[in-house]
Amino acid sequence: DVKVTQSSRYLVKRTGEKVFLECVQDMDHENMFWYRQDPGLGLRLIYFSYDVKMKEKGDIPEGYSVSREKKERFSLILESASTNQTSMYLCASSLDPNYGYSFGSGTRLSVV
Amino acid sequence: GNSVTQMEGPVTLSEEAFLTINCTYTATGYPSLFWYVQYPGEGLQLLLKATKADDKGSNKGFEATYRKETTSFHLEKGSVQVSDSAVYFCALSPFTSAGNKLTFGGGTRVLVKP
């Protein structure tokens, strides 16, 4: 089974801090994704990447950036954390759309 | 564009009851369809999938049939357990998709009471 590992399960950060959320997958997948999940809003795509050093904006990229220097690692960066970025963040990877995604366990971020 | 609509929850059931979660979709071409499950405090896990019309996906007692004529992929389980309490997401992947993006429904929370 593909393993997608998110570095932290819970994080508490202060407003204005630069925050890094890390995601690593072990199956050589080209495609990686970052979502945020909020009550009543479902999953919203922030950014995705289909190759090393490639990135595409999703539906809600404002306030975020990403980095993909190696195929297995996809980092989400909050340049200056704000309280409205308090959320559950989910990373996913995929090889082929017909097989769906593999998700990490999520990082619950609180910005205070 | 592509979209997935699923019934709003929460759905509250007693143990051993029959569960149905409706899912309909809009897409061009011939998408693949998925059900994901999210247990409390966890990420999403793939529950089952179907890649063409009339396919039936099944896993852990859950089933869903890809109905192209009604653009639906309803999830069913004949006898639910307390451990099935979770949020269920329907999703589609277009046959051709830049970046392999899935489109998710809003999720349906299911609560099974003993």
Side-chain angles (χ1 to χ4, degrees), chain A residues 45-100:
Chain A
L45 181 64
I46 305 171
Y47 267 97
F48 65 100
S49 168
Y50 50 88
D51 203 351
V52 175
K53 298 192 184 294
M54 304 299 288
K55 60 185 179 183
E56 294 282 343
K57 293 180 180 179
D59 301 319
I60 52 161
E62 296 79 18
Y64 302 94
S65 62
V66 290
S67 172
R68 191 153 181 216
E69 296 297 319
K70 293 185 178 181
K71 195 173 189 180
E72 67 270 20
R73 184 180 297 270
F74 192 34
S75 302
L76 180 69
I77 303 158
L78 286 66
E79 297 290 345
S80 177
S82 63
T83 55
N84 63 13
Q85 293 178 309
T86 292
S87 186
M88 172 73 130
Y89 290 88
L90 294 167
C91 175
S93 72
S94 80
L95 179 65
D96 183 307
N98 287 328
Y99 291 97

Side-chain angles (χ1 to χ4, degrees), chain B residues 60 73 93 113:
Chain B
K60 299 182 180 180
F73 192 54
S93 175
K113 296 185 174 179

